[in-house]
Amino acid sequence: VWLVILLIFINPGFPFSLFRVKSWADAFGGELYSIVTKYSGSLLLQKKYKDVEPTLKIKEVDGLELVKKFSEQMENMLRRKVEAVERLVEAAEDADLNHEYNSSLEFDYYNSLLINDKDENDNYVELGDEFILEPNEHFNNLLVNTTYSDIQLPTNVYNKDPDILNGVYMSEALNPIFVDNFERDPTLTWQYFGSSTGFFRLYPGIKWLPDENGVISFDCRNRGWYIQAATSPKDIVIIVDVSGSMKGLRMTIAKHTITTILDTLGENDFVNIIAYNDYVHFIEPCFKGILVQADRDNREHFKQLVDELQAKGVGTVNKALTESFKILREFREAGQGGLCNQAIMLITDGAVEDYEAVFEKYNWPDRKVRVFTYLIGREVTFAPNVKWIACNNKGYYTQISTLADVQENVMEYLHVLSRPMVINHDHDIIWTEAYMDSALFASQAQSLLLMTTVAMPVFSKKNETRSHGILLGVVGSDVPLRELLKLAPRYKLGVHGYAFLNTNNGYILSHPDLRPLYKEGKKLKPKPNYNSVDLSEVEWEDQDEILRTAMINGETGYLSMDVKVPVDKGKRVLFLTNDYFFTDISGTPFSLGVVLSRGHGEYILLGNTSVEEGLHDLLQPDLSLANEWIYCITDIDPDHRKLSQLEAVIRFLTGEEPDLECDEELVQEVLFDAVVTAPMEAYWTTLALNMSMETETGIEMAFLGTRAGLMRSALYVGSEKISNRKFLTQKDKESIFTMDHFPLWYRRAAEHPPGSFIYSIVSEDDSGNPSLSTRGEGKRKLFTSHVPHHVCPDPFVDASFLAGSTGKFLGAVDGPVMTQLLNMGMFRRVTMYDYQAMCKVPYHHHSGAQPLLSPIYAFLAAVKWLISDFLMCLRRHKKHDILQPCDTEYPVFVYEPAIKETNGLIECGDCQKMFVAQQIVSSNLLLLVTDAVCDCSVFPPILLAHNASVKCERMRSQKLRRRPDTCHAFHPEVPRGSTGGRAHSWVSPWACLSPLWWKLLPP
């Protein structure tokens, strides 16, 4: 809400009129304006800018030119990452070509779990020799070794296995390439090689710590970058047997198998899950008959539903296979899904029926759909049947007897799918969707937590193995999205401007309004859908998805929109006209958008001042610069990392650090702002020395900010007396200049009429700051000072939240008055939307989903409720507290400045409630005087409720997307009946060796 309402309750019979209230408002407003004008020094600052006005130049911003320039710089930066990865691929393949496998090889290497560990005799443990680790700011201050890499292995992989030893020994050749890459491009972060045998070589080397259970669960082979580089897009239907024979451990193994398969999928893949026993049902009824994108949101949703599956009845697989083939065929013919690999994953403890007719009708002779079979349990009676299904449909058969077997056996299907690409030696470059860098949780804005990875596959070049298509592994390098956004400086984008990135699927890579974390109790956690937030869910004013469509198609262009921008955690809204400029980033699946707001974003003010004069004023103690902005590049050279941005600018200007690279245009702006604002320090100091503590208590601070990210501040009291000690500190991201937004007080003041103040009521988790906005030619400068606390005693109510410690919305305190103000047009209700909210889960037991083919479903459902749901009552209660992504609609109330005063009577049964509302000039305050005794509780309060919905349509949406450029589905050198998996001891095995199976193959 724009207004702060000052609410005075009076006794009945106390005479007040519109004229009297106006006189109170004028008197109060005049005194308040006088105090804030004096202690902010606003008039002095206006005069200083007026004095230099003849020397100013106004430069109009060309948005299209700007976005193209940013895109070109980002393309160059990302190309350097690709070149680094290509060098690693070449080195790895050459090393393997020159390495001869030795089954008895003995070789000591640095194991990241064991390095620097000693035994009871103070000797280093095996594979745990001394490994020097030092903190490095470039790697989030982690302890690292930038001269050497080390090896990580999952707990279930034996660290002295011959395959591991040979692979680690061969990949030692990557160490000098890692170091050389880092020297060529100091902006590189983590570089690594993930082997198909399970080891992970990471540079720089680190100490790897197990989880709370003492287990290393990280397996590079199920990371998104590995899977996407090793395979092409996939359409997959998972069929799981939930018949009675699957109870107990078998069902537990089956669930873990499904979860592991889901973990091998990414946003370029599509999936669905069908459960079968006496009847067939989709475990999510919303997804009946379709495939859905395997983004993080849908994968996590599937995992919850899989956990609820129960075993009962008799299994008949034919109907499930038929349904699966139909879905895949319909998607293929409709041009939907991945349009590349298609597969069915069958998870069962046995198959006895005659299923050959299903394959003859739906999959033979072309075998467009591969079928992978997973036999659960130790029983081998049905193994021939299950193996036959896989071998006759270009798939792979495996038996899973324990939970420990799941990971390795599931990974085999990826090697089958990768073989066409491996045989062709197609080194596709892939870029992953955004993912969380947990090391940045506590240190950065939420929108800057994410990273992307560039990766490429590594193949065997040996003649004797090439025809088998052996994938050695995948190399990759991380790219923090923060590094990309450094190339789109804030000062070029204006008060409300910003840059954002999205993927070929329309998902956000980076956006200042992206909120990937949520609070569960006191802990911050990643949202289940943190990296699958669609552009249309952030730029939701783009109702026809014109912007989204153009950016997904990689177009270059411009679009203008009127938008409603929520600020102050959704309490208030700004009405802006934004110009969107967009283009693609060549060589990547990403597109870049730049937003400039009309007015503030269209122009840059260029001042002129000497270095000598500017340096003098930069050195004043009350001045600081936005430390997240890049005035000078300090994170490449280790000697510069200790410098703050202000220190770097000073050393650059004095010539102390000639190697520093600085943004000269931004530095010139800072010099100019420093000179113009310099008199404020002396002015504030004089006031502080002459303050009368008896008459003017409560004045705590004055501060100002400029578009160049410069801030000055002065304390009128001792620092121990400051009400909000977080304000203007690095911990209070809302009140300082950060990489992805201007301060909240700056943004609000920018939209307020020039020459007036904005006041915010201090609440428990908020700092209240009045702001003054004055207009200069082509640019606004913003100056703020702290509101005296005695101005707003407890009876005064903010239109959003009650003043002081109460924090309540006026509509909740006095619903009848707020209703009348709305009816009279003094306020209007604006509907806002949040598509990134988290809501409590409504309990819904999915394992009893509507079957496709069951005449007795009603009876079974009733029995199921009596037996299952009743027994799960306690579990159900617990699930009510789980949060999940949802869409919300909520109201914001906006003051209409054209109506400066109003009054009225509210009939409340036995009495009448009188009220008078009067605007306080030169402010965003409204004085409201009302009768406190007349009881109007018969009228309901106005609530700031969020109406939430978890939308089926949003989850199953098939929005426009741009598919990856390449597809490797089949290769003529792969035999029809071959179900060979990954290389073992560098020789590819075959799962269908029995002559019986080969005789069954069609010619």
Side-chain angles (χ1 to χ4, degrees):
V1 178
W2 280 100
L3 268 292
V4 176
I5 293 183
L6 308 179
L7 178 59
I8 298 179
F9 297 104
I10 66 167
N11 294 324
F14 186 84
F16 65 96
S17 63
L18 201 60
F19 175 78
R20 182 181 292 270
V21 173
K22 186 177 187 310
S23 67
W24 292 348
D26 289 344
F28 177 80
E31 182 180 353
L32 191 61
Y33 185 84
S34 174
I35 292 173
V36 177
T37 300
K38 174 182 177 181
Y39 287 98
S40 68
S42 58
L43 297 180
L44 170 62
L45 200 52
Q46 288 179 67
K47 179 181 182 303
K48 296 304 296 181
Y49 274 101
K50 193 70 176 175
D51 290 344
V52 298
E53 190 173 323
T55 68
L56 299 179
K57 294 181 181 179
I58 300 171
K59 176 184 175 183
E60 187 170 359
V61 178
D62 185 331
L64 211 51
E65 180 184 334
L66 197 64
V67 75
K68 289 177 182 177
K69 178 183 176 183
F70 290 166
S71 172
E72 184 178 336
Q73 292 173 340
M74 291 179 181
E75 178 191 342
N76 292 335
M77 174 192 173
L78 296 178
R79 188 187 299 117
R80 291 195 296 272
K81 316 307 178 196
V82 172
E83 290 169 353
V85 167
E86 288 174 336
R87 286 191 286 269
L88 289 171
V89 170
E90 183 179 3
E93 293 185 347
D94 287 345
D96 174 68
L97 182 62
N98 297 320
H99 172 73
E100 185 174 340
Y101 185 85
N102 180 1
S103 60
S104 58
L105 176 68
E106 293 185 7
F107 174 65
D108 288 335
Y109 59 89
Y110 290 114
N111 185 303
S112 62
L113 180 66
L114 302 174
I115 53 173
N116 300 327
D117 285 358
K118 294 185 177 182
D119 58 22
E120 62 275 8
N121 298 321
D122 202 36
N123 296 319
Y124 288 109
V125 300
E126 188 178 22
L127 304 182
D129 206 353
E130 181 182 10
F131 194 75
I132 297 172
L133 297 171
E134 296 176 335
N136 191 307
E137 288 186 25
H138 187 65
F139 295 93
N140 304 315
N141 282 319
L142 293 174
L143 295 172
V144 301
N145 184 321
T146 55
T147 61
Y148 214 77
S149 63
D150 59 3
I151 302 297
Q152 179 271 342
L153 291 144
T155 298
N156 64 336
V157 176
Y158 177 44
N159 58 26
K160 298 298 285 286
D161 182 277
D163 286 355
I164 297 297
L165 289 177
N166 276 269
V168 170
Y169 180 80
M170 176 272 293
S171 64
E172 285 283 297
L174 296 180
N175 276 307
I177 312 303
F178 286 140
V179 175
D180 181 60
N181 281 343
F182 192 40
E183 289 175 352
R184 293 189 192 202
D185 180 8
T187 66
L188 276 172
T189 55
W190 306 102
Q191 304 173 66
Y192 38 81
F193 169 65
S195 167
S196 62
T197 56
F199 74 82
F200 180 59
R201 181 177 287 278
L202 177 65
Y203 174 88
I206 63 168
K207 174 76 172 177
W208 203 285
L209 300 176
D211 62 21
E212 61 273 11
N213 300 314
V215 174
I216 303 292
S217 58
F218 177 92
D219 189 327
C220 62
R221 295 168 297 177
N222 62 16
R223 306 301 289 178
W225 52 267
Y226 185 101
I227 294 161
Q228 290 182 47
T231 62
S232 295
K234 306 173 286 295
D235 295 342
I236 287 179
V237 179
I238 302 172
I239 304 175
V240 58
D241 183 349
V242 291
S243 61
S245 62
M246 290 285 290
K247 286 183 179 178
L249 179 60
R250 290 184 179 182
M251 180 54 72
T252 302
I253 295 173
K255 290 179 179 180
H256 187 41
T257 301
I258 297 172
T259 299
T260 306
I261 293 172
L262 289 171
D263 285 337
T264 67
L265 305 179
E267 64 179 32
N268 288 317
D269 304 319
F270 287 76
V271 67
N272 207 337
I273 303 177
I274 295 176
Y276 74 92
N277 43 26
D278 302 293
Y279 58 86
V280 173
H281 70 265
F282 292 89
I283 69 168
E284 171 52 82
C286 173
F287 301 159
K288 177 180 177 180
I290 66 167
L291 298 174
V292 294
Q293 202 161 1
D295 55 39
R296 181 184 173 90
D297 196 4
N298 285 335
R299 294 198 309 268
E300 293 301 314
H301 184 61
F302 273 131
K303 289 177 185 178
Q304 291 180 11
L305 303 181
V306 166
D307 187 52
E308 297 174 7
L309 290 173
Q310 299 174 38
K312 60 185 177 181
V314 179
T316 55
V317 72
N318 274 4
K319 292 174 181 176
L321 285 169
T322 299
E323 190 66 29
S324 301
F325 279 120
K326 285 182 177 178
I327 294 171
L328 292 169
R329 183 180 64 188
E330 288 171 5
F331 256 58
R332 186 169 63 242
E333 292 176 351
Q336 294 179 310
L339 291 183
C340 192
N341 290 292
Q342 289 196 324
I344 293 173
M345 307 295 196
L346 175 60
I347 301 167
T348 180
D349 64 345
V352 297
E353 58 197 295
D354 182 15
Y355 32 72
E356 184 172 348
V358 177
F359 300 126
E360 286 181 346
K361 181 176 181 180
Y362 292 102
N363 204 36
W364 295 348
D366 296 332
R367 291 172 171 79
K368 292 181 178 179
V369 178
R370 297 181 187 270
V371 182
F372 297 87
T373 55
Y374 301 87
L375 182 63
I376 306 298
R378 299 185 184 277
E379 180 61 52
V380 296
T381 304
F382 300 107
N385 298 356
V386 178
K387 185 182 287 186
W388 183 92
I389 292 174
C391 293
N392 281 272
N393 292 278
K394 293 187 176 179
Y396 188 90
Y397 157 81
T398 187
Q399 186 168 1
I400 304 178
S401 304
T402 68
L403 286 171
D405 296 336
V406 172
Q407 180 69 42
E408 288 293 328
N409 283 289
V410 166
M411 295 306 297
E412 295 293 352
Y413 97 87
L414 292 174
H415 294 282
V416 174
L417 294 185
S418 71
R419 293 192 64 216
M421 175 184 66
V422 178
I423 292 174
N424 273 340
H425 275 226
D426 291 319
H427 289 93
D428 293 344
I429 300 167
I430 67 98
W431 293 90
T432 67
E433 64 268 29
Y435 63 94
M436 190 73 73
D437 181 5
S438 57
L440 298 178
F441 260 33
S443 61
Q444 307 296 341
Q446 284 198 33
S447 62
L448 303 176
L449 291 172
L450 305 182
M451 308 180 80
T452 183
T453 291
V454 56
M456 291 179 68
V458 179
F459 309 130
S460 172
K461 289 182 176 180
K462 295 177 180 177
N463 291 332
E464 66 272 20
T465 61
R466 177 162 182 167
S467 62
H468 295 292
I470 292 182
L471 175 73
L472 300 178
V474 173
V475 296
S477 180
D478 292 343
V479 182
L481 297 175
R482 175 186 175 88
E483 296 301 316
L484 281 177
L485 289 184
K486 286 180 180 178
L487 303 176
R490 290 295 301 118
Y491 78 97
K492 289 183 180 289
L493 306 178
V495 182
H496 307 298
Y498 54 91
F500 64 94
L501 295 156
N502 66 288
T503 71
N504 57 299
N505 287 300
Y507 293 150
I508 293 294
L509 265 181
S510 178
H511 193 292
D513 293 332
L514 180 66
R515 306 190 311 275
L517 303 178
Y518 75 102
K519 264 193 175 180
E520 189 173 87
K522 294 184 178 181
K523 289 186 177 180
L524 277 176
K525 291 188 173 183
K527 294 177 181 176
N529 64 333
Y530 78 82
N531 63 356
S532 54
V533 176
D534 196 85
L535 179 62
S536 62
E537 295 175 322
V538 178
E539 300 290 350
W540 53 268
E541 299 276 13
D542 181 24
Q543 299 291 333
D544 297 324
E545 298 191 0
I546 298 172
L547 175 67
R548 183 186 186 279
T549 300
M551 294 188 70
I552 286 177
N553 289 332
E555 297 174 11
T556 298
Y558 153 83
L559 175 69
S560 181
M561 283 194 292
D562 292 327
V563 297
K564 298 184 284 289
V565 179
V567 294
D568 198 8
K569 300 176 182 177
K571 301 172 193 174
R572 295 174 170 83
V573 61
L574 302 178
F575 296 89
L576 306 174
T577 299
N578 282 346
D579 293 327
Y580 292 79
F581 304 91
F582 48 86
T583 190
D584 70 324
I585 301 177
S586 182
T588 76
F590 309 143
S591 291
L592 169 69
V594 165
V595 179
L596 302 177
S597 293
R598 295 279 175 89
H600 310 296
E602 292 178 319
Y603 304 99
I604 291 179
L605 191 66
L606 301 176
N608 190 22
T609 189
S610 68
V611 172
E612 292 76 16
E613 187 180 12
L615 260 175
H616 174 269
D617 294 325
L618 276 175
L619 293 170
Q620 294 182 14
D622 68 320
L623 183 145
S624 64
L625 297 183
N627 214 40
E628 290 188 13
W629 288 22
I630 310 300
Y631 299 85
C632 298
I633 299 173
T634 59
D635 62 346
I636 293 180
D637 189 329
D639 294 334
H640 296 157
R641 289 180 189 144
K642 62 182 181 295
L643 300 176
S644 70
Q645 284 296 316
L646 179 57
E647 291 169 337
V649 168
I650 291 171
R651 294 197 180 196
F652 169 72
L653 292 172
T654 58
E656 291 181 49
E657 296 282 355
D659 295 335
L660 270 170
E661 292 183 40
C662 297
D663 186 326
E664 295 189 17
E665 183 178 324
L666 179 56
V667 170
Q668 182 61 42
E669 279 198 47
V670 164
L671 286 175
F672 172 74
D673 287 346
V675 170
V676 177
T677 62
M680 300 302 293
E681 194 263 347
Y683 177 85
W684 288 334
T685 300
T686 302
L687 280 180
L689 293 173
N690 295 325
M691 279 183 66
S692 168
M693 300 305 295
E694 291 76 22
T695 59
E696 293 176 345
T697 58
I699 309 293
E700 292 186 356
M701 180 190 297
F703 55 95
L704 66 87
T706 75
R707 178 165 165 161
L710 177 146
M711 287 193 65
R712 289 186 183 274
S713 61
L715 293 180
Y716 289 120
V717 297
S719 58
E720 73 283 354
K721 295 183 179 180
I722 293 294
S723 303
N724 186 349
R725 296 185 185 181
K726 281 178 59 180
F727 185 62
L728 299 185
T729 68
Q730 287 294 320
K731 291 183 179 180
D732 186 12
K733 295 290 185 182
E734 287 297 307
S735 67
I736 62 172
F737 293 87
T738 64
M739 182 171 282
D740 68 341
H741 67 257
F742 276 66
L744 175 62
W745 50 264
Y746 195 115
R747 297 186 69 190
R748 290 189 62 205
E751 297 308 308
H752 204 59
S756 60
F757 288 93
I758 282 187
Y759 300 86
S760 298
I761 298 299
V762 178
S763 61
E764 292 178 2
D765 61 346
D766 201 6
S767 71
N769 314 293
S771 306
L772 169 69
S773 166
T774 62
R775 188 184 300 276
E777 250 184 75
K779 182 177 181 180
R780 291 183 180 182
K781 289 285 176 177
L782 309 168
F783 324 97
T784 66
S785 62
H786 210 314
V787 183
H789 285 190
H790 70 275
V791 169
C792 302
D794 281 345
F796 301 154
V797 181
D798 176 12
S800 286
F801 295 85
L802 194 66
S805 60
T806 49
K808 293 182 181 178
F809 169 58
L810 175 63
V813 175
D814 200 330
V817 171
M818 189 65 187
T819 300
Q820 286 295 93
L821 293 176
L822 283 167
N823 292 338
M824 292 174 169
M826 194 164 225
F827 287 93
R828 65 185 172 95
R829 177 188 177 116
V830 176
T831 300
M832 300 291 289
Y833 299 92
D834 182 2
Y835 296 105
Q836 299 181 69
M838 297 289 287
C839 308
K840 287 185 178 179
V841 176
Y843 183 79
H844 178 64
H845 194 57
H846 293 277
S847 59
Q850 177 67 42
L852 299 173
L853 306 163
S854 176
I856 58 170
Y857 168 69
F859 173 74
L860 291 175
V863 173
K864 174 191 172 328
W865 183 86
L866 289 170
I867 297 175
S868 175
D869 287 21
F870 179 73
L871 294 176
M872 293 180 68
C873 180
L874 293 176
R875 183 181 177 190
R876 180 184 313 177
H877 176 74
K878 185 178 179 180
K879 282 184 176 289
H880 276 301
D881 297 329
I882 297 175
L883 297 178
Q884 71 177 15
C886 61
D887 300 341
T888 62
E889 173 186 301
Y890 64 97
V892 174
F893 297 92
V894 179
Y895 173 66
E896 291 290 358
I899 301 178
K900 301 187 182 303
E901 58 187 22
T902 190
N903 66 92
L905 287 172
I906 304 172
E907 296 291 340
C908 300
D910 297 335
C911 62
Q912 291 181 325
K913 185 170 188 172
M914 178 184 293
F915 69 89
V916 177
Q918 176 68 51
Q919 184 191 61
I920 297 176
V921 295
S922 300
S923 76
N924 64 325
L925 301 180
L926 182 69
L927 179 62
L928 177 61
V929 182
T930 185
D931 183 352
V933 175
C934 181
D935 182 10
C936 285
S937 58
V938 65
F939 292 96
I942 296 176
L943 302 177
L944 293 172
H946 286 226
N947 299 317
S949 65
V950 181
K951 293 184 178 178
C952 168
E953 283 304 315
R954 178 173 66 86
M955 296 182 73
R956 60 180 279 142
S957 171
Q958 301 291 334
K959 285 180 176 289
L960 174 71
R961 55 187 292 271
R962 190 171 82 247
R963 292 181 179 84
D965 297 330
T966 58
C967 168
H968 309 285
F970 295 100
H971 193 282
E973 291 182 27
V974 180
R976 176 179 296 176
S978 166
T979 59
R982 71 170 176 87
H984 178 73
S985 301
W986 314 110
V987 179
S988 179
W990 308 98
C992 305
L993 294 179
S994 169
L996 172 62
W997 311 129
W998 287 102
K999 290 176 182 178
L1000 290 172
L1001 292 177

